[in-house]
Amino acid sequence: MEHVDTIIIGAGVVGLAIARHLAMAGQEVLVLEAEPAIGSVTSSRNSGVIHAGIYYRPGSLKAKLCVKGRDMLYAYAADRGIPHKRCGKLVVATSQDQIPKLEEWKKTAEQNGVTGLKLLTPLEAQKMEPEVFCEAAML
């Protein structure tokens, strides 16, 4: 390699995504990583959850990008045969005074374009996850 257009420092999820984008655009890209393996620092510490846009202020950039990014990621995985699950997420209220916040998050999420949300009774939540003890939940 005699010529490099761009050097990316860090082979985490962001660095690799940028490198891929630039390479697909025709640039010669060199990725440098201090660790012995790619994605082994911060990128390996994520929850594995695809964020839906539940908590962010409606109309905010974070909300818009969560919804758009979620849709793009599912489409990317499906197009390439990458195994993934849309298992949902339980957000729980562990006391009665937390239920209004749960209802508020549901409204916020719906305003952000998140669909299919459902408020659950404690029994419904426990049927899904026997170790959960709550006053209400949102799936």
Side-chain angles (χ1 to χ4, degrees), residues 56-121:
Y56 304 119
R57 183 178 46 82
S60 68
L61 186 59
K62 270 190 171 182
K64 290 176 185 176
L65 292 177
C66 270
V67 172
K68 182 178 179 181
R70 175 204 65 205
D71 294 343
M72 290 173 67
L73 187 53
Y74 280 130
Y76 183 91
D79 289 348
R80 288 159 180 79
I82 298 170
H84 60 283
K85 291 181 184 177
R86 290 185 186 228
C87 58
K89 172 182 182 175
L90 281 178
V91 181
V92 300
T94 58
S95 63
Q96 285 290 324
D97 62 316
Q98 293 175 342
I99 294 174
K101 188 65 176 178
L102 201 62
E103 293 167 342
E104 179 186 325
W105 281 337
K106 184 177 184 291
K107 287 179 188 172
T108 297
E110 290 169 342
Q111 290 174 344
N112 288 339
V114 181
T115 59
L117 298 171
K118 181 181 177 188
L119 292 176
L120 304 177
T121 66

Side-chain angles (χ1 to χ4, degrees), residues 5-84:
D5 296 306
T6 304
I7 296 174
I8 303 290
I9 309 295
V13 69
V14 173
L16 292 176
I18 293 168
R20 179 186 184 277
H21 178 80
L22 294 173
M24 298 290 284
Q27 288 196 25
E28 191 67 40
V29 181
L30 175 64
V31 179
L32 302 176
E33 174 56 58
E35 299 299 320
I38 64 172
S40 61
V41 183
T42 305
S43 294
S44 69
R45 306 294 186 271
N46 75 59
S47 63
V49 172
I50 298 172
H51 293 274
I54 293 172
Y55 311 105
Y56 304 119
R57 183 178 46 82
S60 68
L61 186 59
K62 270 190 171 182
K64 290 176 185 176
L65 292 177
C66 270
V67 172
K68 182 178 179 181
R70 175 204 65 205
D71 294 343
M72 290 173 67
L73 187 53
Y74 280 130
Y76 183 91
D79 289 348
R80 288 159 180 79
I82 298 170
H84 60 283

